[in-house]
Amino acid sequence: GAGVSQSPSNKVTEKGKDVELRCDPISGHTALYWYRQSLGQGLEFLIYFQGNSAPDKSGLPSDRFSAERTGGSVSTLTIQRTQQEDSAVYLCASSLVGPPYEQYFGPGTRLTVT
Amino acid sequence: SQKIEQNSEALNIQEGKTATLTCNYTNYSPAYLQWYRQDPGRGPVFLLLIRENEKEKRKERLKVTFDTTLKQSLFHITASQPADSATYLCALPNYGGSQGNLIFGKGTKLSVKP
């Protein structure tokens, strides 16, 4: 079946602009995760949606970052007033409910802020 | 909070040899541990899961061990091939966060030379 898809694959934006990144999880996966990966760095957790529960936003680096998940499926990560340090690959993953929460990742969106 | 250390940033081996990657964690022992593979420009791909009551798990040329006394997991690739060259990540449940949330190590970049 279809895997996790993300769009766009690449995004170049000017400093100060807002950007929206989209994630389509695997059908039936109720858990959805956003991560950020900077060059040579590990995966940095951003936010986690689990079913109808309140999302875990503990990883969001600032209030410029927000995410929503509509209808328990598609998710959008929004970065307002982008800064150069926001440049990174943004990865989305989804999983089934219950441990061990094996995660399936999308290809990522490479964001470059100029 | 839980911390993960993947000792080697990079590991270079000759084709046909066994590659051994290390993942150490601090604090509490997790109920399970996961290993992922990440190729350049792609999202991580789940490889293997090992539970705390399992000493060893195998899948084709891959073997994972889990030593809760040493707080360590070893990931072995036997009869390594150049196609095994990638970055390998270990991941543990983040009990300090929401259920289902994983924390990832920074990864070990494996290069298998022909």
Side-chain angles (χ1 to χ4, degrees), chain A residues 2-46:
Chain A
V4 177
S5 61
Q6 292 186 245
S7 60
S9 55
N10 281 284
K11 177 72 177 178
V12 180
T13 190
E14 292 180 353
K15 178 182 172 181
K17 300 282 190 183
D18 297 352
V19 295
E20 285 190 352
L21 311 180
R22 177 187 168 105
C23 172
D24 277 278
I26 291 173
S27 178
H29 282 192
T30 58
L32 186 147
Y33 316 77
W34 281 99
Y35 296 88
R36 178 168 72 174
Q37 190 171 37
S38 303
L39 190 63
Q41 298 298 309
L43 291 171
E44 177 188 3
F45 164 74
L46 297 177

